[in-house]
Amino acid sequence: MSSLRSRPSPLAGQATAAAPRHVAVIMDGNGRWARARGKPIMAGHRAGAEAVRRCVKGAIENGVRYLTLYAFSSENWHRAAEEVSDLTSLLRFYLRHKVVELHEQKVRLDFIGDLSRFDRGLREEMERARALTAHNTRLTLILALSYGARNDVARAARDMALAAAKGEIDPASINETAFRAFLQTSPFPDPDLIVRTSGERRLSNFLLWESAYAELAFLDVMWPDFTEADFAALMADFAGRERRYGKRLAPDGAL
């Protein structure tokens, strides 16, 4: 899917999906954006951080209640040490200096991922941000940091097995709902829409369990160039989709 800015509006009378409650974004293209401009990679990450602010604004303006951003994957630890250091420093700066802005917008901030891999000071910044914004209700912004979906599924299976071994749960009662309660994402609804920028068309170990019935959108725009207009176009495109969850629709749109 190319940029949605020129996509036509949904046809009148077509069965459409409700506005997405939860949007998840794979923010891709910072490095290529920087290289195309002859700039260091860190310049792309800084520009990408500004795109996050525009994305949050777009989510609020369009009534989205949950926004998950894939900010740092478990695989990102394998990047050059200098880039990892720059990324964590940028995260520390925004947690220390920009969370008040989110709080003023009534945005609640939360995190998923293996946060134990970050240093103690950064984890403390995360906890302060989480505590400050805990009672906000306009939008829940979830940052996926040191996150990998396969790792979370494996950890959830391990924790469930330990609970069963201790007699805390009956193995015969294990089903999808019971398993989901052990995932880090259990406090949040599954995403309705997953977006990836930069033209890549894969999930890259992001919300694999939770994305079972999510709609997917792939944009050619690099993440640092993402705007509120792109977010609005995604909402218009989503509104024209039929969400059947494996069920067949009759010609008139009825199940």
Side-chain angles (χ1 to χ4, degrees), residues 69-213:
L69 302 180
Y70 203 9
F72 191 92
S73 75
S74 54
E75 289 78 16
N76 286 161
W77 291 107
H78 300 297
R79 294 186 178 185
E82 182 180 2
E83 184 177 359
V84 171
S85 178
D86 286 343
L87 281 168
T88 54
S89 295
L90 184 63
L91 174 61
R92 193 188 315 272
F93 173 82
Y94 272 86
L95 287 173
R96 188 171 295 169
H97 300 288
K98 301 297 182 180
V99 170
V100 170
E101 180 180 328
L102 291 175
H103 185 49
E104 291 172 347
Q105 294 174 294
K106 307 300 182 185
V107 175
R108 173 190 170 204
L109 185 60
D110 212 333
F111 307 91
I112 57 174
D114 183 6
L115 305 184
S116 67
R117 298 194 65 176
F118 294 105
D119 65 68
R120 179 178 177 180
L122 188 51
R123 295 197 307 272
E124 289 175 349
E125 294 287 354
M126 293 179 197
E127 286 306 312
R128 279 192 285 270
R130 182 184 272 149
L132 175 65
T133 63
H135 300 294
N136 294 335
T137 58
R138 177 176 288 170
L139 171 72
T140 296
L141 173 61
I142 305 146
L143 297 184
L145 299 169
S146 188
Y147 174 81
R150 286 183 172 181
N151 180 67
D152 195 37
V153 169
R155 181 205 50 75
R158 183 172 60 251
D159 289 350
M160 180 172 258
L162 288 172
K166 294 177 181 178
E168 297 171 354
I169 59 174
D170 179 2
S173 70
I174 294 175
N175 55 24
E176 291 181 16
T177 301
F179 181 76
R180 191 188 187 286
F182 283 82
L183 294 170
Q184 282 195 308
T185 54
S186 61
F188 318 115
D190 288 343
D192 302 294
L193 175 66
I194 294 181
V195 180
R196 182 168 188 155
T197 58
S198 86
E200 300 292 346
R201 297 170 181 263
R202 58 183 181 273
L203 291 178
S204 295
N205 201 18
F206 182 52
L207 301 180
L208 299 181
W209 175 280
E210 299 84 352
S211 66
Y213 286 102

Side-chain angles (χ1 to χ4, degrees), residues 9-16 240:
S9 300
L11 296 175
Q14 184 177 357
T16 61

Side-chain angles (χ1 to χ4, degrees), residues 227-246:
T227 67
E228 295 98 320
D230 290 309
F231 201 103
L234 286 163
M235 298 301 96
D237 178 77
F238 182 87
R241 299 193 185 195
E242 297 176 348
R243 303 192 73 196
R244 289 177 281 182
Y245 302 97

Side-chain angles (χ1 to χ4, degrees), residues 214-235:
E215 297 293 318
L216 306 178
F218 302 101
L219 305 183
D220 290 333
V221 63
M222 295 295 173
W223 178 247
D225 292 326
F226 186 88
T227 67
E228 295 98 320
D230 290 309
F231 201 103
L234 286 163
M235 298 301 96

